[in-house]
Amino acid sequence: MINWRLLSRQVVLYLAVGGLALYAVWPWLPGANRAQPRTIVVYGFSILGEVMNDGVFPAFQEHWKARTGEDVEFISSFGGSGTVTNQIILGVPAEVAILSLELDALRLVESGRVDGSTWRELPHGGILNRTPFIILVRPGNPRQITDFADLTQPGVGIIHPDPLTSGGAQWAILAEYGSELRETGDPARAYEQLLGIWQNVTSQASSARAARTQFQSGFGDVLITYEQEVTYDMLRGQLEGEIVYPKSTILSEHVVVVIDDNIPRADRELIDAFVDFLWSEEAQRIFVEYGFRSVDETLNVDVPYFGVIDDPFTVADMGGWPEAKREIIDAIWKDRVLQEVGNE
Amino acid sequence: MNDSLPRVRRRSAGSVLPVSLLLLVLLPLLLMPLAAIYIFAGSSGLAGFWEALRQPDAQFALRFSVLIAFATAIINGVLGTFAAYVLSKYRFRGREALLVIVNLPVAIPTVVVGTSLLLLWGPIGLLGRVLDPLGIQPMFMPAGVLLAHLFVTFPYMLGAVKPVLDELEVTYEEAAYTIGANRWQTFRFVILPALRGGLFAGTLLTFAHSLGEFGATVLVSGNLRLRTQTAPLYIFAQFEAGNIETANAVAAVLATLSFVLFLILQRFTQRVVERPS
């Protein structure tokens, strides 16, 4: 006796499983005429996601197609700069890394993934673009924030990325400490400002992007982040908040690192062409379109959404990254501020 | 289905209060969060939903997850059944310890599984240090994701099959041997048919868990779009990047898929329970 109900049920089940399996393997089926395009594997820090995926990658694909007739596919991952660096140290197959700060690049050297400071031989010492650190407040600026010093008022809730995984967070610490140091020249007052700000940090997100998402979801009064994060949203009409430009703040400098060991010999020319392309006028213009400040100062003139900063500074003004990391991030922020905040 | 067994059900007015109280508790705990996924998915319109799903990286993530789930279910289906057979049919020294070990993955946090895999296979790991120079590196590759899923889901097959094997009367096997069946024939024609329900349930559970695995995968996959990013990782990455609609569209698909799997599992296990006659 055939049990028809049971049989039809089984047929449905087999069809469902078969259909699901077919869906899963579809792109890899032979005859799906997919010529394997050449690939470039790019790992970048969080805020680069849109400008690379929507701007620079397509532009290079066109550029390369016009030059050689070949298709190029970009495989990419974006996360906190520290996260990305750790992944590369652990062995992800990144060919090009764009890191938020040179410190992470130096960690790649230390781990042996990169053979010396090779990025310094690239154009502009490997620096791809810049963006100043700013303060984002809620619409109408209800807390009356005008500078970093105002962030130390009790009761201000600050969303800050986590320095453990986010390069942006480390830049922010330099900005919070360095701005006061430049204005007063007094390390004690700079320390007080940094401490006051960190006593008000209510949430530490894993990356600058994650911090912005938290702020947008309604948490906190203030977000300390890259200007680009905010102008990019402003350009899309999605900004809910106002930018406060501190009198003095740091310009972050983002570094391109080529991971030579991960590049097959056949792709060397392609990767080099891509890296060169990053500093072409076309690519630099795209960065400006997405709110980054170009390394070519002529492209930054008359851009309406670049705010004025009276006294901008760079990490070079603080002795370069190794020293800034040792003297400010570790000796002041980690060993003193964090301890004191933790003891309350 | 249940008409042969008249159940005792209380339909008195007294049931209204506890039932509505339970619903009131479950509403914000379980039902509303699930509903939120679908309501949000619908809010940007069906067009927006499809657009989000059609993204090549979203498609890849879903396909990759399903593929890994199939591979995990098949491999652990065989391995788990084998383990269940050995642990159920043989008595040997260290059996108790082995029983604990094979069930361990249920108790270990998945993040720890990811860490331990990296510390074994990664370039700085115990095995990785030897294998990496040879060009063998499963971590941050699909193979690494598969390894993590095999680890995490191992006990589900065992848990579904072993109790059935334990219950199985030895007399059937003995009868098979007496009429001249060898060990394989006995397994194939006596034990396997009895195991069907357990095999099915175990495979489905394994599949479902693999589909949703996050904690171990996030560490070992490298989270590479179009290469090793599974659907749960895609949802997390997109959500963190603020692309809530994109994240939610894939979340809705994943939720639906899991829901269907669960329904099949429910109906099937019911049938198995009803069938013995």
Side-chain angles (χ1 to χ4, degrees):
Chain A
M1 254 304 270
I2 301 170
N3 184 337
W4 286 107
R5 244 181 89 203
L6 206 70
L7 192 70
S8 69
R9 223 194 242 173
Q10 267 179 350
V11 169
V12 168
L13 193 66
Y14 286 139
L15 280 180
V17 172
L20 194 61
L22 192 66
Y23 162 76
V25 299
W26 190 256
W28 293 280
L29 286 181
N33 71 21
R34 224 146 295 225
Q36 274 296 316
R38 296 172 75 176
T39 56
I40 302 180
V41 183
V42 179
Y43 271 68
F45 72 102
S46 65
I47 63 170
L48 280 173
E50 285 89 10
V51 66
M52 298 310 279
N53 282 327
D54 304 339
V56 175
F57 291 164
F60 179 75
Q61 279 165 332
E62 233 168 78
H63 171 81
W64 186 255
K65 179 97 177 170
R67 196 172 126 188
T68 65
E70 283 179 330
D71 288 319
V72 183
E73 190 183 20
F74 279 94
I75 297 177
S76 59
S77 178
F78 296 95
S81 188
T83 310
V84 167
T85 307
N86 292 336
Q87 285 179 324
I88 295 172
I89 291 173
L90 282 175
V92 294
E95 293 171 321
V96 178
I98 306 174
L99 304 169
S100 163
L101 67 178
E102 198 182 35
L103 205 58
D104 284 335
L106 290 167
R107 279 173 51 210
L108 291 179
V109 177
E110 216 173 285
S111 71
R113 284 281 144 187
V114 177
D115 196 14
S117 323
T118 51
W119 61 90
R120 298 214 172 113
E121 291 149 28
L122 295 172
H124 295 271
I127 295 168
L128 181 61
N129 49 35
R130 302 190 171 93
T131 188
F133 267 73
I134 51 89
I135 304 165
L136 184 67
V137 296
R138 297 284 173 198
N141 197 355
R143 292 275 182 179
Q144 308 279 319
I145 309 285
T146 58
D147 207 340
F148 282 126
D150 299 326
L151 300 182
T152 59
Q153 297 163 10
V156 177
I158 301 172
I159 306 284
H160 205 295
D162 184 353
L164 191 65
T165 52
S166 160
Q170 311 212 26
W171 287 113
I173 289 173
L174 294 193
E176 292 150 14
Y177 180 84
S179 59
E180 184 70 11
L181 188 66
R182 285 174 76 85
E183 264 169 59
T184 64
D186 182 357
R189 290 188 58 177
Y191 171 75
E192 282 306 316
Q193 172 162 307
L194 187 64
L195 177 66
I197 289 175
W198 276 83
Q199 279 166 334
N200 283 338
V201 170
T202 51
S203 162
Q204 288 186 55
S206 65
S207 69
R209 177 51 55 87
R212 191 202 70 179
T213 305
Q214 285 187 356
F215 185 77
Q216 275 185 333
S217 330
F219 295 102
D221 304 310
V222 169
L223 172 70
I224 301 175
T225 191
Y226 302 94
E227 176 194 51
Q228 186 275 341
E229 264 289 80
V230 183
T231 45
Y232 175 71
D233 273 352
M234 202 156 66
L235 294 172
R236 290 186 303 170
Q238 286 188 357
L239 179 75
E240 280 187 36
E242 291 173 16
I243 300 183
V244 173
Y245 282 95
K247 266 196 287 302
S248 171
T249 190
I250 203 162
L251 280 159
S252 66
E253 297 172 312
H254 315 131
V255 185
V256 177
V257 183
V258 179
I259 322 288
D260 295 305
D261 287 354
N262 289 342
I263 301 172
R265 194 169 299 164
D267 283 342
R268 190 69 233 191
E269 190 197 356
L270 172 68
I271 305 288
D272 285 344
F274 172 65
V275 172
D276 285 342
F277 181 77
L278 291 174
W279 279 280
S280 68
E281 192 180 325
E282 186 184 358
Q284 288 292 323
R285 273 191 197 284
I286 294 172
F287 286 125
V288 172
E289 259 171 56
Y290 280 78
F292 289 95
R293 300 192 182 202
S294 170
V295 285
D296 179 356
E297 285 297 339
T298 59
L299 300 181
N300 297 334
V301 178
D302 287 336
V303 180
Y305 44 83
F306 287 166
V308 180
I309 297 153
D310 292 343
D311 175 33
F313 59 98
T314 64
V315 72
D317 297 323
M318 312 190 88
W321 258 117
E323 189 182 325
K325 161 80 173 163
R326 197 173 54 239
E327 303 296 333
I328 300 172
I329 308 260
D330 289 347
I332 297 175
W333 177 76
K334 199 171 168 191
D335 293 348
R336 292 173 60 196
V337 170
L338 215 53
Q339 301 298 325
E340 191 149 336
V341 172
N343 285 338
E344 276 165 18
Chain B
M1 292 180 97
N2 280 337
D3 14 21
S4 54
L5 337 151
R7 289 241 189 97
V8 186
R9 282 212 187 99
R10 273 189 226 172
R11 263 255 174 77
S12 63
S15 72
V16 174
L17 190 66
V19 168
S20 38
L21 209 62
L22 181 65
L23 278 177
L24 207 66
V25 173
L26 290 185
L27 207 63
L29 264 182
L30 297 178
L31 299 175
M32 277 164 69
L34 282 175
I37 296 179
Y38 292 99
I39 292 169
F40 195 91
S43 69
S44 57
L46 209 58
F49 180 76
W50 280 124
E51 192 47 42
L53 270 189
R54 272 188 40 218
Q55 300 300 318
D57 40 358
Q59 279 297 310
F60 174 86
L62 280 169
R63 290 195 159 104
F64 184 58
S65 269
V66 171
L67 272 183
I68 289 285
F70 267 116
T72 307
I74 291 167
I75 296 174
N76 264 355
V78 175
L79 273 181
T81 311
F82 176 62
Y85 184 79
V86 171
L87 287 168
S88 176
K89 294 295 166 202
Y90 297 93
R91 292 290 172 271
F92 52 92
R93 189 201 282 250
R95 179 176 165 276
E96 294 299 320
L98 206 56
L99 254 175
V100 173
I101 290 171
V102 290
N103 278 307
L104 218 49
V106 182
I108 299 179
T110 50
V111 182
V112 178
V113 175
T115 316
S116 58
L117 283 172
L118 279 181
L119 291 181
L120 177 67
W121 296 100
I124 52 166
L126 295 174
L127 280 177
R129 234 178 322 208
V130 185
L131 294 176
D132 202 39
L134 305 175
I136 302 171
Q137 183 44 261
M139 292 298 110
F140 311 119
M141 294 286 169
V145 178
L146 184 62
L147 278 175
H149 286 214
L150 288 177
F151 189 129
V152 171
T153 62
F154 192 82
Y156 297 111
M157 197 69 200
L158 192 75
V161 171
K162 192 171 165 292
V164 189
L165 274 176
D166 289 341
E167 295 283 299
L168 204 65
E169 296 277 346
V170 192
T171 46
Y172 292 125
E173 286 172 69
E174 283 167 351
Y177 290 134
T178 54
I179 57 174
N182 62 27
R183 191 160 272 183
W184 164 247
Q185 284 169 326
T186 315
F187 180 76
R188 170 69 189 83
F189 296 105
V190 178
I191 298 178
L192 207 56
L195 283 183
R196 270 188 52 194
L199 286 174
F200 184 78
T203 315
L204 219 54
L205 266 178
T206 308
F207 189 92
H209 274 271
S210 167
L211 206 58
E213 213 300 313
F214 181 81
T217 320
V218 73
L219 282 175
V220 301
S221 89
N223 195 28
L224 211 47
R225 291 169 65 223
L226 302 171
R227 277 275 176 87
T228 58
Q229 194 174 49
T230 63
L233 295 191
Y234 179 83
I235 295 169
F236 182 71
Q238 293 294 327
F239 201 90
E240 260 219 332
N243 304 326
I244 298 172
E245 278 160 37
T246 324
N248 190 65
V250 176
V253 172
L254 212 56
T256 310
L257 210 55
S258 311
F259 189 63
V260 170
L261 285 176
F262 182 71
L263 274 187
I264 295 176
L265 197 66
Q266 280 271 314
R267 301 213 51 175
F268 193 87
T269 40
Q270 252 175 31
R271 213 176 70 207
V272 173
V273 175
E274 283 162 24
R275 211 171 28 185
S277 47

